[in-house]
Amino acid sequence: MTELLITRPEHDDTTHYLSNWSKEIIDIAENKNIKVFDINREKAIKKNVELRLNKMSCDLTFFNGHGDFNVIGGHNNEPLIIGGENEGLLKSKIVYAISCKSAKELGPKSVKAGAISYTGFDDDFIFVYEPEKISRPLNDNTAKLFLEPSQLFMKSLIKGNSVREGVDKTKKLLADNFLKALNDNDRDSAKYLWWDLKHFVSHGDVDAKLQ
Amino acid sequence: MSNLSEDIKELVIFRLESLHSNKKISIGSHGEFSKEELIEHVRKGDDIGKKIADIEMEFLRALKEGIVS
């Protein structure tokens, strides 16, 4: 049975938005008979993630949270995966990390340590949102311009597409939303969509797909 | 990016003024910022201010090069 590990800390506005927008991925995966291990809120700490990655044959790992060039963060930014320390836990896995900058250094290190692929952002992932929608983040149409594309990569993989196809679809939607923002004279969203588009990258076997 | 010149700061702040007051920007691990907070960071020329200037200048270069019209 295919397995998906997902981390969803929720300790600030950014992680609250990422967590809520990624809930749909859990539903889609379960409908495809994928076993989902959802490590949410204060459970998203290193000990739990290491335990689960050591136990499972997990094919797909999806990290939401803050990060840095060499780190994926969890609850209260506790480091979950650290390059040079435990990236070997990602061996034989397709990895997607909405964890800023981590695709720059941790991505290549993870692939070197045996990860099938590592997709994410090689600089900060930036999005615009409307604070008045904080209690209903899925109704935030400004954030949607950014977060819908960021979730599309996972949807594409779950549907059986390759990493490369997922990356292409994600970049296309980011580009479409960029043009939409420009046409709507929303230059603030446009410049950050342009930034995200330029920094969305993938390392490793981009022809890989879920078995 | 090296230290921000006063000209760059002025340009970036001018462009940030267009951001609606009812919106905030999430900048990865740096956190979430209102328009006023972003402008303050640019004025100070700190790491966040430099990041914002970097994004702005990259976008302006793309406009100039005709990548975006």
Side-chain angles (χ1 to χ4, degrees):
Chain A
M1 188 181 204
T2 304
E3 294 178 336
L4 162 65
L5 170 77
I6 178 169
T7 63
R8 297 187 302 121
E10 284 187 33
H11 54 275
D12 58 16
D13 287 4
T14 297
T15 50
H16 175 73
Y17 265 77
L18 292 178
S19 175
N20 277 276
W21 274 85
S22 62
K23 274 183 189 168
E24 187 189 5
I25 300 302
I26 297 172
D27 295 336
I28 293 171
E30 287 177 340
N31 284 335
K32 286 271 187 182
N33 288 323
I34 293 174
K35 187 165 179 55
V36 178
F37 299 98
D38 178 21
I39 304 185
N40 189 209
R41 297 187 175 175
E42 66 277 359
K43 291 177 188 161
I45 56 175
K46 188 180 178 195
K47 183 182 78 174
N48 291 336
V49 170
E50 287 189 331
L51 186 68
R52 187 53 66 188
L53 287 173
N54 273 318
K55 269 189 175 179
M56 64 197 286
S57 61
C58 173
D59 316 87
L60 185 56
T61 55
F62 178 23
F63 296 100
N64 292 278
H66 293 298
D68 211 326
F69 292 117
N70 203 37
V71 173
I72 292 172
H75 178 63
N76 283 338
N77 303 332
E78 175 178 321
L80 303 178
I81 304 291
I82 307 162
E85 185 180 315
N86 64 352
E87 77 272 28
L89 291 168
L90 303 177
K91 188 178 178 183
S92 304
K93 300 177 191 340
I94 294 174
V95 181
Y96 180 38
I98 307 180
S99 181
C100 297
K101 303 177 182 173
S102 70
K104 178 84 171 178
E105 292 179 14
L106 182 59
K109 280 183 186 174
S110 300
V111 169
K112 199 173 174 186
I116 296 170
S117 65
Y118 189 110
T119 304
F121 294 87
D122 65 7
D123 207 310
D124 285 309
F125 171 62
I126 298 180
F127 67 91
V128 185
Y129 68 104
E130 300 168 40
E132 65 187 31
K133 302 277 176 64
I134 193 79
S135 61
R136 292 166 287 120
L138 299 181
N139 293 339
D140 187 332
N141 287 326
T142 303
K144 183 180 181 181
L145 292 169
F146 301 81
L147 297 177
E148 195 173 47
S150 74
Q151 301 301 319
L152 182 59
F153 179 72
M154 284 300 295
K155 289 182 186 175
S156 178
L157 281 181
I158 291 168
K159 278 184 183 170
N161 292 316
S162 67
V163 171
R164 187 198 310 275
E165 288 167 324
V167 168
D168 289 347
K169 284 172 189 281
T170 300
K171 285 191 165 183
K172 183 177 184 310
L173 186 53
L174 278 169
D176 288 348
N177 287 353
F178 165 73
L179 291 173
K180 180 180 184 303
L182 276 183
N183 285 335
D184 292 346
N185 212 20
D186 178 6
R187 296 229 156 196
D188 297 306
S189 293
K191 66 189 169 195
Y192 299 118
L193 285 162
W194 176 251
W195 176 266
D196 290 340
L197 177 60
K198 285 193 67 177
H199 292 285
F200 187 65
V201 298
S202 198
H203 302 282
D205 179 8
V206 292
D207 292 319
K209 53 177 77 170
L210 286 180
Q211 299 301 313
Chain B
M1 183 181 269
S2 55
N3 287 341
L4 297 177
S5 70
E6 289 307 312
D7 286 348
I8 296 280
K9 283 184 184 178
E10 201 174 308
L11 171 67
V12 173
I13 289 169
F14 173 75
R15 292 182 61 86
L16 283 172
E17 294 282 2
S18 69
L19 180 65
H20 287 284
S21 297
N22 67 341
K23 291 183 180 176
K24 290 181 88 170
I25 315 287
S26 163
I27 308 178
S29 51
H30 297 291
E32 302 89 15
F33 303 92
S34 65
K35 173 171 78 176
E36 293 73 22
E37 289 167 334
L38 288 175
I39 289 172
E40 189 56 31
H41 282 292
V42 174
R43 280 212 177 93
K44 286 181 189 167
D46 61 16
D47 286 349
I48 295 162
K50 287 177 188 172
K51 167 72 71 178
I52 290 299
D54 199 10
I55 294 165
E56 199 67 61
M57 299 313 288
E58 199 168 294
F59 183 64
L60 287 173
R61 270 194 297 273
L63 288 174
K64 188 183 170 193
E65 291 165 8
I67 297 169
V68 292
S69 54

